[in-house]
């Protein structure tokens, strides 16, 4: 109750109380009574009407009540004043936090002191708050940012929550079985979880699983798989290798680079057979096939190919000339 209302109701109560006394106890209240105050040898007699004696406690109570309400009003006034000042300082505090200014800040009220400390811990992700729940949340976020997989059941996160999605991404990055289950029936990549699962499979899984995927492989995907094969990280049969290379249309230089890397990797006649099929379907692979023939010193077939086509193969014609002249040459330095 506000002090003003309390004062009004108190006055109305006193008036009502006085009216009742006058109407029903008129004779008694008009009589006088003597109150004697004695302190040591001092004595004082106070004679007042009963009406006054009755009202003295009420008036005293009312006075103290007004004093109490006034004190409360002033306390609230000063608290509001401090809160208003802290509100202004809080904006400055946030600015310093964002700008990473290592300046001291102070607040008048405990509420702003507490919330500023919490926000600072959240901003710097410091796990040292007084709240165990907040510490757990900060620890969870830190682990997820370190690509760890966490148990999210205690946090009850929705599936569209960013932390839930981050946890799924981390699991797709690290768990091959989980990644394969995510994308085995997918025909395209439609979110970050699927993308990370796909990347994990391409980088780490066996080819038996990779070739079963319905997602169409890009040139970069095939080059990644070939790189794994060059580095003995992926096992491929000759038939699988042929199908993999044939799945993408490379340019002339890319085909030659593939042929050069594979020449030291697999049996030369098998490589020749693979590229013969590929060049029959794609003219861009002709130079790569000629490169393999040159490495095998099969110049008769090289002549048949280069002289039967309209395209010029000056570098291979030079190889034939050097061969016929008995000159020393290096195929890899002349063909690039």
């Amino acid at each position: 109750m506000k002090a003003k209302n309390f004062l009004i109701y108190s006055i109305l109560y006193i008036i009502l109380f006085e009216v009742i006394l006058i109407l029903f106890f008129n004779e008694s209240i008009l009589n006088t009574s003597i109150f004697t105050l004695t302190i040591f040898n001092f004595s004082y007699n106070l004679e007042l009407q009963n009406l006054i004696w009755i009202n003295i406690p009420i008036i005293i109570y009312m006075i103290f009540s007004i004093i109490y309400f006034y004190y409360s009003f002033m306390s609230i006034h000063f608290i509001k004043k401090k809160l208003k000042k802290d509100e202004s300082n809080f904006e400055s505090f946030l600015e310093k936090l964002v700008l990473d200014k290592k300046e001291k800040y102070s607040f008048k009220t405990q509420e702003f002191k507490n919330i500023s400390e919490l926000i600072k811990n959240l901003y710097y992700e410091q796990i040292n708050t007084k709240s165990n729940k907040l510490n757990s949340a900060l620890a969870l976020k830190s682990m997820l940012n370190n690509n760890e997989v966490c148990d999210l059941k205690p946090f009850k996160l929705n599936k569209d929550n960013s932390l839930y999605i981050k946890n799924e991404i981390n699991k797709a990055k690290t768990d091959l079985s989980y990644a394969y289950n995510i994308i085995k029936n997918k025909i395209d990549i439609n979110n970050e979880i699927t993308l990370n699962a796909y990347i994990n499979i391409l980088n780490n899984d066996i080819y038996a699983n990779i070739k079963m995927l319905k997602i169409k492989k890009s040139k970069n995907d095939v080059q990644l798989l070939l790189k794994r094969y060059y580095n003995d990280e992926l096992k491929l049969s000759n038939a699988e290798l042929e199908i993999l290379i044939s799945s993408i249309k490379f340019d002339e230089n890319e085909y030659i680079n593939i042929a050069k890397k594979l020449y030291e990797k697999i049996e030369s006649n098998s490589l020749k057979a693979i590229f013969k099929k590929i060049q029959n379907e794609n003219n861009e692979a002709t130079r790569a096939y000629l490169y393999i023939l040159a490495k095998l010193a099969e110049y008769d077939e090289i002549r048949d190919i280069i002289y039967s086509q309209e395209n010029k193969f000056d570098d291979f014609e030079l190889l034939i000339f050097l061969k016929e002249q008995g000159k020393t040459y290096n195929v890899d330095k002349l063909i690039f």
Side-chain angles (χ1 to χ4, degrees), residues 198 210-211 213 215-219 221-222 225 248:
Y198 182 65
I210 295 173
K211 68 181 181 181
L213 298 180
I215 298 173
K216 186 177 181 181
K217 298 174 186 63
S218 67
K219 181 184 287 189
D221 296 339
V222 173
L225 294 174
I248 296 293

Side-chain angles (χ1 to χ4, degrees), residues 1-10 65-66 69-70 73:
M1 185 183 294
K2 294 182 179 180
K4 182 179 178 181
N5 292 340
F6 177 81
L7 180 62
I8 293 173
Y9 292 144
S10 297
S65 296
I66 292 172
F69 275 100
Y70 177 77
F73 170 78

Side-chain angles (χ1 to χ4, degrees), residues 306-333:
I306 65 176
Y307 294 135
S308 65
Q309 296 191 22
E310 294 181 359
N311 294 335
K312 290 187 177 182
F313 299 92
D314 295 337
D315 44 3
F316 288 99
E317 290 179 7
L318 177 59
L319 279 178
I320 293 172
F321 173 77
L322 293 173
K323 176 68 175 176
E324 291 174 345
Q325 297 299 316
K327 303 292 185 179
T328 303
Y329 58 88
N330 187 316
V331 175
D332 290 299
K333 290 184 178 180

